[in-house]
Amino acid sequence: MFIEINNLKKSYGQNDSAVQVLNGVNMSVDKGQMCVIQGSSGSGKSTLLNCIGGLETIDSGSVVVNGVEVNTLDSEKLSEYRRSNLGFIFQFYNLIPNLTVRENIRVCEYLSDSPLNLDELIENLGLKEHQNKFPSQISGGQQQRCAIARALIKNPNILLCDEPTGALDSKTSKDILILLEKINKVYGTIMLIVTHNNAIKNMVHKVVYLKDGMVKREYLNESRVSASELEDL
Ligand SMILES: Nc1ncnc2c1ncn2[C@@H]1O[C@H](COP(=O)(O)OP(=O)(O)OP(=O)(O)O)[C@@H](O)[C@H]1O
Ligand SMILES: [Mg+2]
């Protein structure tokens, strides 16, 4: 078990205005697994990712990653945890506008003692001809590929993806998913993918539904299809 979440509770606000968002989440993700997290808007998907990523404090329960209880780490150890384990991909790519594609990726290269090869990664993500352009000069899909490259350059154990295809058309979404699938295969990267898209769950190993702050349903996907075969993206 690589990620283990035990009775995780998380609320925002205090006293009368407190909102209980996660109310006893239990789930786990194994090494090498891709996992989709679904649930209606406001069900706490992003909050859950942020708790796993050590970007939010939790009220009670535990988030254990590779044997380390993340919620007990002090801020220095937490930074180290994020640095050495995690890559984040968001719906809106958060690229640095005045850096080129290549520079945006390089910013994260130094975070690892054993980063992936920058040129290979740029080549693999189809960014070679765009590497010296600025984000404003490339398309949304190309920007998302750049954001993925940036998350991957340090070869993280875990990739946290919050609506990675939310802003993309169906063809570009498929390209991105094929890429994520390839990365998972080659590097065994664990992926937690939050998505409203119903098709994506067909390509992953595990599916988790959140409702009322808890895991309502969870199953292993016995009949995975490859990303290239996904329909209705
Ligand atoms: N920083 C915050 N302060 C207060 N309330 C918050 C904060 N972040 C999230 N919430 C509330 O927590 C609940 C869960 O939010 P969250 O963003 O995790 O939902 P989500 O499942 O990701 O939704 P969506 O599918 O719309 O992205 C919502 O009711 C939201 O308003
Ligand atoms: Mg969200």
Side-chain angles (χ1 to χ4, degrees):
M1 218 66 80
F2 204 86
I3 303 176
E4 223 181 307
I5 295 162
N6 305 299
N7 204 16
L8 170 58
K9 297 191 180 177
K10 168 74 187 171
S11 57
Y12 290 109
Q14 281 170 345
N15 305 325
D16 287 354
S17 59
V19 185
Q20 189 74 36
V21 178
L22 303 177
N23 196 15
V25 170
N26 291 295
M27 64 176 280
S28 62
V29 187
D30 281 338
K31 258 189 172 155
Q33 277 185 335
M34 290 189 283
C35 174
V36 151
I37 300 172
Q38 289 194 312
S40 55
S41 180
S43 61
K45 303 178 299 294
S46 297
T47 302
L48 177 61
L49 277 200
N50 290 341
C51 290
I52 296 170
L55 298 174
E56 292 277 9
T57 57
I58 68 174
D59 298 344
S60 62
S62 63
V63 175
V64 183
V65 175
N66 200 12
V68 174
E69 197 167 334
V70 174
N71 49 289
T72 63
L73 300 176
D74 61 26
S75 67
E76 198 174 318
K77 291 226 170 71
L78 200 55
S79 300
E80 170 57 24
Y81 158 72
R82 281 196 293 264
R83 192 173 72 86
S84 54
N85 285 289
L86 297 178
F88 292 91
I89 299 172
F90 303 99
Q91 176 174 6
F92 302 104
Y93 325 113
N94 302 328
L95 299 175
I96 302 168
N98 55 348
L99 297 184
T100 64
V101 164
R102 188 180 179 87
E103 289 163 348
N104 261 285
I105 302 167
R106 283 199 70 181
V107 166
C108 290
E109 191 181 9
Y110 79 97
L111 291 172
S112 170
D113 299 333
S114 52
L116 300 182
N117 181 288
L118 180 64
D119 287 310
E120 267 178 35
L121 190 63
I122 285 175
E123 171 96 49
N124 278 337
L125 295 202
L127 290 168
K128 200 169 171 188
E129 59 184 299
H130 306 296
Q131 60 180 312
N132 295 317
K133 296 180 184 168
F134 293 97
S136 61
Q137 297 172 317
I138 57 177
S139 73
Q142 289 156 354
Q143 288 181 48
Q144 185 60 303
R145 290 210 297 271
C146 178
I148 292 175
R150 187 183 53 181
L152 285 175
I153 183 78
K154 59 180 184 163
N155 202 4
N157 296 319
I158 303 170
L159 202 55
L160 301 175
C161 313
D162 203 348
E163 299 280 2
T165 62
L168 303 175
D169 64 39
S170 120
K171 160 81 172 70
T172 316
S173 295
K174 189 176 267 192
D175 289 346
I176 296 290
L177 292 167
I178 289 171
L179 195 66
L180 291 178
E181 181 181 67
K182 186 168 145 197
I183 292 156
N184 168 264
K185 219 176 203 162
V186 174
Y187 299 111
T189 315
I190 291 178
M191 298 188 184
L192 297 189
I193 305 171
V194 165
T195 179
H196 283 285
N197 189 301
N198 241 330
I200 297 177
K201 66 178 189 301
N202 297 318
M203 67 173 266
V204 300
H205 305 88
K206 188 169 200 169
V207 182
V208 171
Y209 287 96
L210 286 187
K211 196 179 177 198
D212 302 327
M214 297 168 85
V215 173
K216 190 81 181 169
R217 186 166 166 237
E218 177 183 22
Y219 66 89
L220 287 174
N221 187 1
E222 305 290 351
S223 49
R224 283 174 59 211
V225 297
S226 69
S228 60
E229 293 171 278
L230 291 181
E231 285 169 15
D232 298 325
L233 277 170

